Amino acid sequence: MARPSIGRELSDVPFGEMITSMGLAIAEAQYAMDETSLRLAQMMGGEYEVPEVDPITGEITTVTKKSLVKFDGEEMSLIELGFTPTFYQFTESLIEIKVSISFTQSSEFERKSSTKTISAMAGGFLGMGMARARTTSVSARYANKFNYSAEGSSLMRTKILPTPAPAVLEERIRAIVERNKPAAADG
């Protein structure tokens, strides 16, 4: 059996793949958070689009919905009332990996022997006699023990903080809100 090497075991840990995977996961998560915040901004602006599936044909269409609230008897968007959409951003990420690899090998040789002596005295036809018997048993045992253990743990930590909506986006949303406002009646 080939003996494992700690150096070889550590070099087999795919650190590069783990870092790449985490980077891609963060990028995908950031994209999803940005997309959600943009949809929220549209909804807060008073109108937003949602996909709808026709239950009969299965065709997907886009439907525009209004999202206005009544405030002081007037329909207004949340942005007109001063609300702003919240955006989130990954600000720091940490990958912590702990790997512990250990192996032990030991050889053991054990030899046991035992001696027994049996003495017997007997009387009989020819008189007293004595007999002795001595036996020795030997047993040998050889064991080669090999233990291998690998322990590992990983911790991936990331920090997400809210950030203000981009100023350009806020300006565009406000322009859309102003454009969609009904003209005030001249009095």
Side-chain angles (χ1 to χ4, degrees):
M1 177 188 296
R3 294 164 100 189
S5 157
I6 290 178
R8 185 175 47 224
E9 296 294 325
L10 285 174
S11 70
D12 289 344
V13 176
F15 291 111
E17 288 177 31
M18 287 191 291
I19 292 169
T20 301
S21 293
M22 184 172 182
L24 290 173
I26 289 171
E28 288 173 5
Q30 184 66 60
Y31 176 77
M33 288 190 305
D34 291 344
E35 188 176 39
T36 300
S37 294
L38 283 171
R39 280 190 268 138
L40 180 63
Q42 288 175 332
M43 188 271 308
M44 293 175 82
E47 285 187 355
Y48 64 100
E49 295 177 346
V50 293
E52 278 193 0
V53 179
D54 185 299
I56 298 171
T57 64
E59 187 178 317
I60 299 173
T61 58
T62 303
V63 177
T64 301
K65 295 195 173 201
K66 294 222 177 263
S67 59
L68 301 171
V69 295
K70 284 206 176 205
F71 191 77
D72 196 25
E74 193 178 335
E75 282 191 333
M76 303 176 91
S77 72
L78 292 175
I79 290 181
E80 287 176 297
L81 293 171
F83 291 93
T84 57
T86 303
F87 284 76
Y88 293 92
Q89 184 175 26
F90 286 96
T91 57
E92 62 185 61
S93 296
L94 168 76
I95 299 176
E96 182 179 311
I97 300 167
K98 296 176 185 176
V99 177
S100 170
I101 300 171
S102 64
F103 60 89
T104 59
Q105 183 174 2
S106 64
S107 295
E108 194 177 294
F109 181 75
E110 185 179 308
R111 181 180 161 274
K112 290 184 181 178
S113 65
S114 62
T115 303
K116 292 188 181 189
T117 304
I118 300 172
S119 299
M121 295 178 80
F125 178 67
L126 297 174
M128 292 292 283
M130 187 165 169
R132 255 184 232 238
R134 179 177 230 178
T135 61
T136 301
S137 66
V138 177
S139 69
R141 190 180 84 171
Y142 176 77
N144 189 10
K145 296 179 183 177
F146 181 77
N147 292 324
Y148 178 83
S149 69
E151 299 171 21
S153 68
S154 63
L155 166 72
M156 294 187 182
R157 185 182 316 159
T158 188
K159 189 174 187 180
I160 302 172
L161 294 177
T163 58
V168 172
L169 175 65
E170 283 190 30
E171 288 174 23
R172 289 188 180 195
I173 292 172
R174 290 188 194 285
I176 292 169
V177 168
E178 289 298 317
R179 185 178 65 224
N180 291 338
K181 251 186 186 177
D186 293 327

